[in-house]
Amino acid sequence: MDTILVANAGSSSVKFQVFEVEPGGGLRRQLKGQIDGVGSRPRLRASAADGRVLVDRTYENDAVRDVTAALATAGAWLRTELKINPIAIGHRVVHGGPDYDKPVRIDQKILTQLERYASLAPLHQPYNLAPIRSIQAYFPELPQVACFDTAFHRGHGALADCYAIPRQLHVEGVRRYGFHGLSYEYIAGALPKVAPEIADKRVIVAHLGSGASMCAISRGQSVESTMGFTALDGLPMGTRPGQLDPGVVLYLISEKGMSAEAVQNLLYRECGLKGLSGISNDMRELQGNSDPNAALAVDYFIYRVGLNAGMLAAAMQGVDAFVFTAGIGENSPQIRAAIVDKLGWLGASVDATANGANKLLISGRDSRLPVYVVPTDEELMIARHTLSLLSRAEGSTKQARAS
C-alpha cells in the first residue's frame, strides 16, 4: 500500500497526516497526529480517520529536543509500529519568495534558496525546513515536496503585488505575497462541490485562526490578500499585530532603543490578541473572560475583519458571497455572528439556528449576501500536490525510457 506523509512543523510541534494512495489515484486519510510540547513536555498523539486513538505517549524532554527530533520520533513510530513507509513526504513551507509559484521536489539547491526566506517568516520557515534537512540526510532517496503558502497568490496583478517603493527593491523580492494559500486553494477547489452557486463568483474567504487573513477570490483565483511581504500584515492574530504603521517600527528602534531582533520578537510573539488583552492569545479564553481588555481584543479583531472585507470587496468591484474557515471561523458562532453584523452594509444577516449548528449556509433568508462555513483541509491539499508531482515525474521518466 502506497502512502503519502504530510508534515507541518512549527516551533514547538509537528503535525502530521498519512494518506493512502488509492488505485484510481485518489487519496484517503488514514491517520492524523502531532507531537507537541517539544523541548518541554513532549507528547505524541495520533488517531485513525474514524477517531480511534492510535497512540498517546509522553517522552522525557531530552528525548525530543527540537522539531527535527520530533519528526524523527513520529517517523519511527509510523515505521516500526504501524509498518508505514511513505513513498514521499509533503511539507508545508510558508514562504516561497519570488522564485516559487508552485510545489517543487526538494533538492539541496532548492533547500538553500528557501533558507534565504527565514527572516521573512521567522515563526515558520526555519521549523518548516529543519525536518526536510534531516530527512534529506538520513533518507536521501525519499522524495520530499515543498508546498508553499504563498503560491496561490502569485497570480496577482502588478497593482496588488507591489509596494510604492523603489523598483529595485521589488526586483529583489520586496513585494506583497499573501499567505494561507494552501487553505484558500482548498476552499476554491471545494466550492464547486459544496456551494456551486458561488464557485465562479466574487468570494471573500476569511481564514480565521491563531494566524488570520482574508482573501478575495474571483472565479477561483486569488485577486487580493490582507497579508503582504510577511505574515505580520493584515488582520490582528493570536500574537501578531496585523496592519501596522511602519513608523511604529522606526520609533521602537530609534526612540526605545530596541534591536531588530527585539522588535521581531515583539511583533511575532507579544502583539495581537495577546498584546491587546494582556491575558491570552486564545480567542476561546478571551471570549469567556470578563476583563475589559479581553473584550477590547475580541472587538478589535471583529472590527478589523469588517474593515478588510470592505477593502477586498473594492478589489473585486463587489462581492457575491462570504466564507468562514479555519479554527475560529469554523468553530465560533459568536465571532461569526458579530462579523456578519459588521457586513450588514453589504446586505448580510445571520440565521442564528444555522450558525449555532455550524451549518454550511448560515446567512438568513433575507440576507442579500450568502454566508458560508467551509472547513479547510491544507493537509489534503499538500498530499494532492505531492502525489501530482510524483506522478508527473514518473510519467516523464517512462517517456524518456520509451524514447
Side-chain angles (χ1 to χ4, degrees):
M1 177 180 62
D2 288 342
T3 56
I4 300 288
L5 173 63
V6 172
N8 184 355
S11 60
S12 61
S13 67
V14 174
K15 298 178 182 178
F16 60 91
Q17 295 195 24
V18 174
F19 293 84
E20 177 186 349
V21 181
E22 297 179 315
L27 291 162
R28 184 172 65 86
R29 184 179 279 104
Q30 277 194 317
L31 64 88
K32 61 192 303 184
Q34 68 181 57
I35 295 187
D36 51 25
V38 174
S40 56
R41 299 178 63 183
R43 182 183 181 187
L44 168 64
R45 290 175 288 173
S47 58
D50 60 7
R52 179 170 43 90
V53 175
L54 297 174
V55 67
D56 190 342
R57 187 177 300 166
T58 57
Y59 297 85
E60 294 295 327
N61 294 353
D62 289 347
V64 188
R65 290 177 174 270
D66 52 30
V67 295
T68 298
L71 189 57
T73 300
W77 172 73
L78 289 169
R79 289 192 306 274
T80 59
E81 298 188 36
L82 270 66
K83 309 304 179 184
I84 290 175
N85 290 287
I87 60 172
I89 304 178
H91 298 266
R92 178 195 179 206
V93 177
V94 167
H95 217 304
D99 299 319
Y100 301 103
D101 59 0
K102 56 182 176 295
V104 294
R105 180 167 172 174
I106 301 166
D107 58 24
Q108 186 54 51
K109 179 181 177 181
I110 289 173
L111 183 58
T112 300
Q113 288 176 313
L114 294 176
E115 287 170 342
R116 301 203 317 260
Y117 309 130
S119 63
L120 306 186
L123 285 189
H124 303 93
Q125 197 87 348
Y127 308 106
N128 297 159
L129 300 182
I132 297 174
R133 193 181 303 107
S134 177
I135 293 167
Q136 195 178 59
Y138 288 99
F139 304 97
E141 300 305 315
L142 180 61
Q144 298 191 81
V145 175
C147 300
F148 304 103
D149 255 344
T150 51
F152 184 64
H153 306 292
R154 289 302 307 280
H156 285 178
L159 294 179
D161 192 40
C162 67
Y163 291 109
I165 56 177
R167 179 68 185 174
Q168 182 56 37
L169 289 172
H170 179 86
V171 172
E172 293 171 7
V174 183
R175 60 183 70 178
R176 299 186 70 246
Y177 291 100
F179 297 87
H180 295 134
L182 291 163
S183 175
Y184 294 127
E185 185 180 9
Y186 177 82
I187 297 297
L191 288 182
K193 296 179 181 178
V194 302
E197 63 276 12
I198 66 168
D200 286 333
K201 295 185 177 180
R202 299 166 297 182
V203 182
I204 294 173
V205 181
H207 176 107
L208 307 180
S210 180
S213 70
M214 297 164 69
C215 181
I217 298 178
S218 181
R219 300 184 66 83
Q221 303 297 314
S222 175
V223 172
E224 179 61 271
S225 168
T226 57
M227 281 183 167
F229 182 55
T230 69
L232 286 171
D233 202 5
L235 302 178
M237 292 162 256
T239 60
R240 287 169 271 171
Q243 184 180 2
L244 187 73
D245 184 336
V248 174
V249 176
L250 298 177
Y251 172 82
L252 294 175
I253 294 172
S254 63
E255 300 299 321
K256 301 292 287 184
M258 294 178 68
S259 66
E261 182 180 1
V263 171
Q264 177 174 283
N265 185 69
L266 173 74
L267 296 181
Y268 277 99
R269 294 182 170 86
E270 302 298 331
C271 293
L273 298 178
K274 179 181 179 181
L276 267 178
S277 69
I279 297 170
S280 173
N281 65 333
D282 192 319
M283 181 64 80
R284 294 165 297 186
E285 185 175 342
L286 295 177
Q287 286 181 267
N289 197 301
S290 60
D291 190 301
N293 289 324
L296 172 65
V298 173
D299 290 346
Y300 182 79
F301 179 83
I302 293 164
Y303 173 67
R304 301 303 298 192
V305 172
L307 284 182
N308 280 272
M311 177 192 75
L312 296 177
M316 296 186 290
Q317 292 294 286
V319 58
D320 300 307
F322 191 95
V323 174
F324 288 101
T325 195
I328 297 171
E330 294 173 24
N331 299 299
S332 179
Q334 179 182 341
I335 296 297
R336 289 198 302 259
I339 290 171
V340 173
D341 185 60
K342 292 291 183 185
L343 305 179
W345 66 280
L346 289 169
S349 66
V350 73
D351 180 312
T353 302
N355 184 41
N358 292 327
K359 295 291 187 179
L360 170 66
L361 182 66
I362 64 168
S363 46
R365 290 186 178 181
D366 61 341
S367 182
R368 298 196 308 274
L369 182 72
V371 181
Y372 298 81
V373 179
V374 181
T376 192
D377 197 335
E378 295 161 292
E379 290 77 14
L380 178 56
M381 202 73 246
I382 293 170
R384 286 173 177 170
H385 282 309
T386 301
L387 182 59
S388 176
L389 206 62
L390 282 185
S391 299
R392 290 200 302 271
E394 289 176 3
S396 299
T397 301
K398 290 178 181 178
Q399 186 176 13
R401 287 173 179 169
S403 60

